[in-house]
Amino acid sequence: MTATRTILVSGDHAAPAVAAATALHAARRGRRTLLLAADDPHRTLDAALGVRLEAGPTAYAPGLTVARTDEQAAFRRALDGIGGRLKPALDLLGADPLDAEELTALPGTARLALLRALPAADADVLVVLAPPPADLIAILALPEQLERYLARLVPEQRQAARALRPLLAGLAGVPMPADWLYEARAKATGALAEARAAITAPGTSVRLVTAADAHPFDELRRIRTGLALHGHRPDAVVVHGVLPDAAADSPDPWLAGLARRRREELAALAVACDGVPVLTTGPAETTPEAVADRLYGAGPGPEPYPAGPWTVEDRLASEGLLVWHLALPGAERADLDLVRRGDELVVGLGAHRRVLALPSALRRCTVAGAGLHDGVLAVRFAPDPALWPRS
């Protein structure tokens, strides 16, 4: 079975039309395609398709099924795993458990529903109408963050002390965690690993959608930086509402001037995107079929665009340093925040933050400085004489 090609479409109000067009294009090319609406409370994708999406897949066109994530069902599944474990504690407190009909999804459940849906998709191509870019970046970062919290709160090595638990409980004077806690941790770890594998798969990419009149340069720069910090890069930027070329020759001076300015802005955007394809749609394309024809034609469409590699450069012989190069296109020095903490490097870029485990060689070094140039963060490390192996 081949790996699923996953396209997460995120952006402004035109994202539903672009997502629908992308899925139709894949289905037209003979690929089994699933179009999924995630965190779409206003049913914007339903409006774009002219159908009502349900949690179960529904046939829409040859080779194309459509569905939506069900955060209510995801919330109930999560509680089912621990509901029985909580009953003794609720009985002790004299509290009545909630019935299934009383359960209402909590904020954030939509993110977990999407993470569950990504590895479960049975399709050649999965197109997701994803949440807006800021929320999508948080979702892409979530499995790694939750894995880190689980490792801290319920360390895996403690499970090996099962036979000693009664003795430890007697010595400590407090009850030790029960087996069900470790079982729940193992299930959660497995689910997070599946979600992370789907997110980081070579065939997974993000497609950004923005309006031609939105002057999106600064916003797209911040979005690209946030994606890059978590190891992702958009495969394309779709600009909708672009005026036709003929408008630049209009006898109306205002329209002609606007068309020329928009053409110049598109050219500047293409340069700023640094190799990421910029696709356009015009005011005339109002249906998913027309948008698909305009964006992709008969071609295969954009392919995943891998993020730049993060490599360690050996400058020990010449400068006595090791340099860790982190590709972060669009990053600006004013947004950068670096903190070394033990064997980790905390990288902050504006609203985005990630805790990176240092490569093994760098753990035996001290930070000697850092610099940001042309979208690449270079962090310099000097060997610590107390830790570095002697020649």
Side-chain angles (χ1 to χ4, degrees):
M1 180 178 177
T2 58
T4 299
R5 169 77 166 101
T6 302
I7 306 170
L8 301 160
V9 180
S10 176
D12 63 12
H13 66 274
V18 173
T22 302
L24 278 171
H25 176 71
R28 287 173 176 177
R29 294 179 60 81
R31 311 291 300 280
R32 283 191 314 119
T33 305
L34 171 62
L35 174 59
L36 185 67
D39 195 14
D40 184 24
H42 303 297
R43 292 186 171 270
T44 56
L45 187 56
D46 299 44
L49 294 171
V51 300
R52 183 176 178 83
L53 275 65
E54 303 295 345
T58 302
Y60 176 80
L64 174 59
T65 55
V66 296
R68 61 187 295 112
T69 56
D70 189 344
E71 58 180 294
Q72 187 71 18
F75 182 64
R76 288 178 178 176
R77 279 198 302 269
L79 284 187
D80 284 345
I82 61 173
R85 307 295 187 178
L86 294 177
K87 188 177 185 304
L90 293 174
D91 291 342
L92 183 64
L93 296 172
D96 293 327
L98 293 171
D99 294 330
E101 293 75 15
E102 298 179 88
L103 297 175
T104 303
L106 297 175
T109 309
R111 296 181 176 185
L112 298 178
L114 176 55
L115 291 177
R116 281 183 172 272
L118 291 179
D122 180 18
D124 299 327
V125 178
L126 170 64
V127 180
V128 180
L129 173 59
D135 291 337
L136 177 58
I137 293 172
I139 292 171
L140 295 176
L142 192 57
E144 180 180 283
Q145 292 172 343
L146 292 180
E147 285 176 341
R148 175 183 173 80
Y149 295 155
L150 279 176
R152 287 292 186 91
L153 296 175
V154 191
E156 189 173 1
Q157 58 268 29
R158 289 187 186 175
Q159 299 181 52
R162 235 174 239 182
L164 298 177
R165 224 170 274 158
L167 175 61
L168 294 174
L171 292 175
V174 294
M176 301 301 288
D179 287 345
W180 73 265
L181 179 61
Y182 295 110
E183 293 169 2
R185 180 199 187 280
K187 290 181 180 178
T189 300
L192 289 172
E194 290 179 354
R196 192 173 181 184
I199 287 171
T200 59
T204 299
S205 61
V206 177
R207 197 159 296 176
L208 300 175
V209 182
T210 188
D213 58 356
H215 306 288
F217 295 95
D218 287 340
E219 182 182 5
L220 284 176
R221 177 189 63 79
R222 289 189 291 269
I223 293 169
R224 289 182 62 212
T225 300
L227 289 170
L229 180 61
H230 295 285
H232 304 279
R233 192 168 182 177
D235 64 8
V237 173
V238 178
V239 182
H240 64 88
V242 174
L243 293 172
D245 292 338
D249 300 322
S250 171
D252 182 341
W254 179 86
L255 180 58
L258 178 63
R260 286 192 292 269
R261 287 196 301 274
R262 292 286 182 265
R263 184 185 297 173
E264 293 170 357
E265 290 172 357
L266 275 177
L269 179 61
V271 173
C273 284
D274 188 27
V276 177
V278 176
L279 310 178
T280 63
T281 68
E285 292 85 33
T286 58
T287 66
E289 292 80 4
V291 174
D293 291 339
R294 171 69 181 264
L295 288 179
Y296 310 121
E303 293 297 321
Y305 199 99
W310 292 6
T311 58
V312 177
E313 179 185 3
D314 187 344
R315 296 186 189 172
L316 290 174
S318 58
E319 303 176 33
L321 297 172
L322 296 173
V323 183
W324 197 13
H325 296 281
L326 310 180
L328 300 172
E332 292 189 348
R333 192 183 306 273
D335 296 331
L336 183 62
D337 182 27
L338 289 177
V339 177
R340 165 76 181 271
R341 188 175 62 190
D343 291 341
E344 298 171 330
L345 184 69
V346 183
V347 182
L349 285 168
H352 308 291
R353 191 175 184 86
R354 187 179 181 187
V355 181
L356 299 171
L358 291 173
S360 58
L362 302 184
R363 296 174 188 174
R364 300 190 296 272
C365 300
T366 58
V367 176
L372 182 63
H373 183 67
D374 289 340
V376 177
L377 173 63
V379 187
R380 300 183 295 277
F381 291 82
D384 185 341
L387 301 175
W388 198 259
R390 299 178 180 180
S391 57

